[in-house]
């Protein structure tokens, strides 16, 4: 009984947090609202005994949203994405696409012939799900993950060729940063 209540509570919370993404007025708040929505959706997976998938979604979304937040803090002109701004562009077009996509997917759910339930679950459902999701693509995904991580590190290194120790001295005791071009934060 309590698990059904928790399932519907998390499902409603996931939808509410997803709607908050388009209601808050900064990218940082939208990022954390989206993270909350994904975590609540993952908890619903945990409540229906899809442990592997639920844990995978939680870990993946936490890392993804934190990387996005770090990049926002580092590179956005708007400090940390906390200044008010709109998260919706082309409101009419976005609404038409969203409603059309929802109608298409809902129609597909109602009209598709769902497969019959097999005789029973496989002996190791977690392993079967992992092989169904990744299968022969595991090596490719691992190489892509390393490539993406190397790209992130290289981007940060190239974008910040002058660190704060170079600008403020070895003991960070310089009052004004020593920038080659005046007019920046240190003027």
């Amino acid at each position: 009984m309590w698990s059904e209540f928790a399932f519907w509570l998390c499902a409603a919370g996931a939808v509410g947090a997803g709607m908050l993404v388009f209601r808050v007025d900064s990218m940082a708040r939208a990022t954390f609202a989206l993270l909350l929505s994904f975590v609540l959706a993952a908890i619903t997976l945990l409540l229906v005994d899809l442990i592997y998938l639920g844990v995978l979604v939680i870990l993946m979304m936490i890392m993804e949203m934190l990387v996005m937040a770090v990049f926002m803090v580092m590179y956005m002109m708007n400090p940390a994405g906390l200044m008010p701004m709109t998260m919706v562009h082309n409101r009419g077009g976005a609404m038409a696409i969203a409603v059309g996509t929802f109608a298409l997917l809902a129609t597909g759910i109602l009209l598709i012939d769902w497969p019959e339930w097999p005789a029973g679950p496989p002996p190791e459902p977690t392993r079967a799900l992992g092989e169904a999701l990744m299968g022969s693509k595991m090596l490719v995904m691992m190489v892509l993950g390393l490539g993406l991580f190397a790209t992130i590190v290289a981007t940060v290194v190239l974008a910040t060729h002058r660190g704060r120790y170079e600008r403020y001295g070895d003991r960070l005791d310089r009052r004004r940063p020593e920038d080659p071009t005046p007019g920046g934060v240190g003027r």
Side-chain angles (χ1 to χ4, degrees), residues 31-145:
T31 299
F32 288 109
L34 189 59
L35 174 61
L36 177 64
S37 176
F38 278 123
V39 168
L40 288 173
I43 291 173
T44 63
L45 294 174
L46 293 174
L47 288 171
V48 294
D49 290 333
L50 293 173
I51 307 298
Y52 173 77
L53 204 53
V55 171
L56 184 70
V57 169
I58 288 173
L59 292 177
M60 197 168 69
M61 287 302 125
I62 286 175
M63 288 306 298
E64 183 179 320
M65 295 300 155
L66 289 182
V67 166
M68 193 159 69
V70 166
F71 270 79
M72 262 188 277
V73 170
M74 286 193 308
Y75 296 118
M76 287 188 65
M77 290 183 289
N78 176 354
L82 290 173
M83 300 296 286
M85 61 182 291
T86 180
M87 296 299 296
V88 180
H89 306 283
N90 188 10
R91 185 178 297 267
M95 183 64 75
I97 291 171
V99 170
T101 303
F102 175 78
L104 182 68
L105 293 176
T107 304
I109 289 172
L110 296 175
L111 296 180
I112 194 169
D113 288 331
W114 291 96
E116 295 295 325
W117 182 253
E124 291 186 52
T126 303
R127 183 184 183 96
L129 179 62
E131 287 180 356
L133 288 175
M134 303 301 283
S136 60
K137 302 168 194 73
M138 180 62 81
L139 180 62
V140 174
M141 294 302 289
M142 291 174 67
V143 171
L144 279 177

Side-chain angles (χ1 to χ4, degrees), residues 1-19:
M1 179 65 183
W2 72 268
S3 62
E4 286 184 28
F5 176 73
F7 176 88
W8 289 110
L9 187 66
C10 288
V15 172
M19 291 171 69

